[in-house]
Amino acid sequence: MTPEASAAGALQLWQLYDRIRARTLLLRGAQSDLLAPETAEAMTRRGPRAKRVEFEGVGHAPTLMAQDQVSAVTNFLLPPQETVPA
């Protein structure tokens, strides 16, 4: 792949990402060699402005087997309900 083709592909992916309107959760292993910290940060500032959660000691894709990883997803999907004072 040429550098030009790679840049064109990245531009196209960002254009698609910027069109997402759903709430988005970005899970990143802190030791990922595929998703750079700079890219993950950009994903929180553009498009759907993903909520970023990073896990230390984890490679590219968190397995969602550890409790802290499961809790991150659960809390995103089912946020705690606010109690209304009586």
Side-chain angles (χ1 to χ4, degrees), residues 18-83:
D18 288 338
R19 295 178 68 188
I20 296 171
R21 295 294 171 243
R23 282 186 341 124
T24 304
L25 177 63
L26 170 61
L27 302 177
R28 180 180 183 276
Q31 282 66 51
S32 175
D33 57 353
L34 295 176
L35 179 56
E38 300 80 16
T39 303
E41 180 60 29
M43 293 174 77
T44 68
R45 293 189 316 269
R46 58 188 295 177
R49 293 186 165 133
K51 177 182 179 189
R52 176 181 173 183
V53 180
E54 199 161 283
F55 301 102
E56 284 299 323
V58 176
H60 174 60
T63 60
L64 303 180
M65 298 296 285
Q67 187 56 50
D68 62 332
Q69 296 172 16
V70 172
S71 292
V73 174
T74 302
N75 291 338
F76 179 78
L77 295 174
L78 304 169
Q81 298 296 315
E82 292 185 30
T83 55

